[in-house]
């Protein structure tokens, strides 16, 4: 049955399933980073470069075979693709790898989820978008949750000030992906954008890789973990998420994707032995609720509706 012919409930169910699969794929990213670095001794910069470069080659090959015309972009958009790739992909992946190294996979994921809050504040400063009370509440929740995560109990993961700054810097870098992406997502298919930005991301990290130099060991475990890193959270995560977006509103997909935060904690616990304290888990859910609050349409919140309007909004 084609998507257009399927029942709306079936389409929505498939969309939810695809986004959940994408989220599960993304939740493994920190684990793969830890394994690759432990097995090979590769630096965070080289790991970011090879991740972006190999992903770019795979995407470019796929586009050349399946949709060569999709590689055409307007010359004036190249600067935005370069900015999106250099900061939102290249710099982000360097900072993300550092955050995993300093904070662990689970905390790095939580701190990264401050990105929608940073986007809301940045949109206010750059384009004068209003900061509604929902956005302000979301900012307060995310800030409070981050503080709880940074002040663990005796059984939790202890975060240094350096680790906290790196984690929040990674969130700021990935927020550029969303801010600049607003100019491009309506003009080009996602796979076209991804091909260019991963190429520009690799190009941006290359000078850092050349300047720092590196030596690593290519063990079978390191190669297997790296290929899993590229295939599962990078290509798999984006692929399933894109398929889910065709069946769900973007706001719904964004909120479902916040399940990456607890999933990353669970995966890191079983794969790496990372353990969050009760206080840190409280912080996790505060950050998640803040992201949901800033992502969801106002009609989802009954207390914002006029009497009698709330029940109608829930039926839409």
């Amino acid at each position: 049955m084609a998507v257009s012919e399927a029942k709306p409930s079936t389409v929505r169910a498939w969309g939810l399933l695809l986004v959940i699969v994408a989220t599960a794929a993304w939740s493994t990213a920190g684990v793969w980073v830890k394994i690759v670095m432990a097995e090979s001794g590769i630096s965070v910069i080289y790991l970011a470069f090879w991740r972006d470069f190999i992903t770019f080659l795979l995407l470019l090959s796929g586009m050349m075979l399946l949709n060569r015309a999709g590689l055409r972009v307007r010359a004036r958009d190249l600067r935005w693709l370069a900015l999106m790739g250099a900061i939102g992909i290249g710099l982000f992946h360097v900072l993300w790898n550092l955050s995993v190294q300093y904070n662990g996979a689970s905390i790095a994921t939580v701190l990264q989820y401050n990105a929608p809050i940073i986007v809301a504040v940045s949109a206010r400063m750059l384009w004068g978008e209003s900061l509604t009370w929902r956005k302000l509440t979301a900012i307060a929740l995310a800030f409070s949750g981050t503080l709880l995560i940074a002040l663990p109990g005796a059984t939790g993961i202890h975060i240094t000030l350096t680790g906290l700054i790196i984690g929040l810097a990674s969130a700021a870098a990935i927020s550029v992906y969303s801010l600049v992406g607003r100019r491009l997502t309506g003009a080009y298919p996602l796979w076209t954008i991804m091909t260019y930005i991963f190429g520009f991301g690799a190009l941006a990290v290359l000078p850092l890789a050349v300047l720092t130099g590196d030596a690593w060991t290519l063990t079978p475990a390191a190669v297997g973990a790296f290929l899993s890193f590229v295939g599962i959270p990078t290509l798999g995560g984006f692929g399933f998420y894109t398929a889910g977006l065709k069946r769900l509103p973007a706001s719904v997909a964004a909120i479902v994707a916040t399940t990456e935060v607890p999933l990353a904690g669970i995966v890191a616990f079983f794969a790496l032995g990372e353990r969050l304290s009760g206080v840190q888990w409280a912080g996790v859910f505060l950050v998640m609720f803040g992201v949901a609050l800033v992502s969801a349409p106002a009609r989802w919140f009954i207390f914002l509706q006029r009497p009698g309007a709330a029940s109608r909004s829930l039926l839409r």
Side-chain angles (χ1 to χ4, degrees), residues 34 100 103-107 157 264-265 268-276:
K34 282 273 193 178
V100 172
N103 302 316
S106 51
I107 296 296
I157 300 170
F269 172 76
F270 285 104
L272 303 173
E274 294 182 7
R275 185 186 299 273
L276 300 183

Side-chain angles (χ1 to χ4, degrees), residues 208-289:
L208 293 175
V210 172
L211 286 173
T212 57
D214 196 17
W216 66 89
T217 304
L218 281 179
T219 65
V223 173
F226 177 77
L227 293 177
S228 298
F229 184 34
V230 171
I232 297 174
T234 308
L235 294 174
F238 275 105
F240 283 115
Y241 190 75
T242 303
L245 279 176
K246 293 180 180 179
R247 298 162 173 83
L248 285 177
S251 58
V252 177
I255 292 170
V256 174
T258 62
T259 55
E260 180 188 354
V261 177
L263 278 176
I266 294 168
V267 171
F269 172 76
F270 285 104
L272 303 173
E274 294 182 7
R275 185 186 299 273
L276 300 183
S277 68
V279 171
Q280 287 176 316
W281 274 115
V284 165
F285 288 105
L286 281 179
V287 172
M288 287 178 62
F289 187 67

Side-chain angles (χ1 to χ4, degrees), residues 93-186:
H93 284 158
V94 172
L95 291 169
W96 161 253
N97 293 344
L98 271 174
S99 184
V100 172
Q101 187 178 51
Y102 273 84
N103 302 316
S106 51
I107 296 296
T109 303
V110 180
L111 294 178
Q112 178 200 323
Y113 263 82
N114 280 280
I117 310 302
I118 295 173
V119 168
V121 175
S122 300
R124 167 65 178 177
M125 294 188 294
L126 293 174
W127 301 306
E129 290 188 8
S130 60
L131 276 178
T132 63
W133 79 266
R134 278 202 305 129
K135 291 180 181 179
L136 291 171
T137 303
I139 291 168
L141 287 170
F143 179 74
S144 301
T146 301
L147 283 181
L148 290 178
I149 292 163
L151 299 171
T155 59
I157 300 170
H158 293 271
I159 306 174
T160 64
L161 178 60
T162 301
L164 180 62
I165 292 171
I166 290 171
L168 293 176
S170 75
I174 192 62
S175 70
V176 173
Y177 187 102
S178 298
L179 289 167
V180 179
R182 292 184 182 187
R183 291 178 169 268
L184 302 170
T185 50

Side-chain angles (χ1 to χ4, degrees), residues 16-31:
L16 288 170
L17 178 61
L18 288 166
V19 172
I20 290 170
V21 171
T23 302
W26 282 332
S27 71
T28 67
V31 172

